[in-house]
Amino acid sequence: MNKAMNPIKKLAGETVIYGLGTMVPRFLNYLLVPLYTIYVFTKAEYGQVTLLYSYVAILLVLLTFGMETAFFRFANKSNKPKDVFNTATSLIMVVILVFLSLILGFASEIAELMQYPSHKEYVVITALIIAIDAITALPFAYLRYQNKALKFSSIRIISVVITISLNLIFLVAI
């Protein structure tokens, strides 16, 4: 009976840790909304930021094309999960390079389409955010595959704290 409880306790503990790694960053970002909407941006500017982040969410799904799930499936079936990781990462890197090449090549036209004709930099910065997020998706999946819940959550939370700190520095202090 005790042995049956250990896997359940382990699962419950890891679920809490992975949950914290997902929920804490979202909560911290949520706390910034009043700062952004009251002190930093007008409603129209914050609307533009929100629209750009909606593109981030959609494009991130398209660029990773479910590779995290595929990685788990094939890594569990393979006796060489590192090879599966390397193959999946290589594929995502090629897609990211093509994506960035297209975005950088047509940034002005895309900005005009998005009705930000004088802000080509919005398109470029958003594309870089998407590329970085897509590149980090598989390493995070690999940490989960290796059952490194604490490392996974710690890195996620630390990266959000750094991002929030940079936001505060650039948008408030500078």
Side-chain angles (χ1 to χ4, degrees), residues 69-140:
T69 305
F71 165 72
F72 277 114
R73 179 174 179 188
F74 289 102
N76 283 322
K77 289 182 176 184
S78 172
N79 57 354
K80 295 182 182 179
K82 189 70 174 168
D83 290 348
V84 174
F85 173 78
N86 290 338
T87 302
T89 301
S90 298
L91 185 58
I92 285 183
M93 292 298 286
V94 168
V95 170
I96 295 295
L97 289 174
V98 170
F99 168 76
L100 283 176
S101 298
L102 289 171
I103 295 294
L104 295 176
F106 296 101
S108 296
E109 292 82 356
I110 295 169
E112 209 167 300
L113 258 166
M114 293 172 60
Q115 299 179 358
Y116 305 135
S118 59
H119 293 289
K120 170 183 154 180
E121 71 276 8
Y122 291 2
V123 174
V124 173
I125 291 169
T126 303
L128 292 173
I129 290 169
I130 293 167
I132 291 168
D133 280 356
I135 289 167
T136 61
L138 277 176
F140 278 122

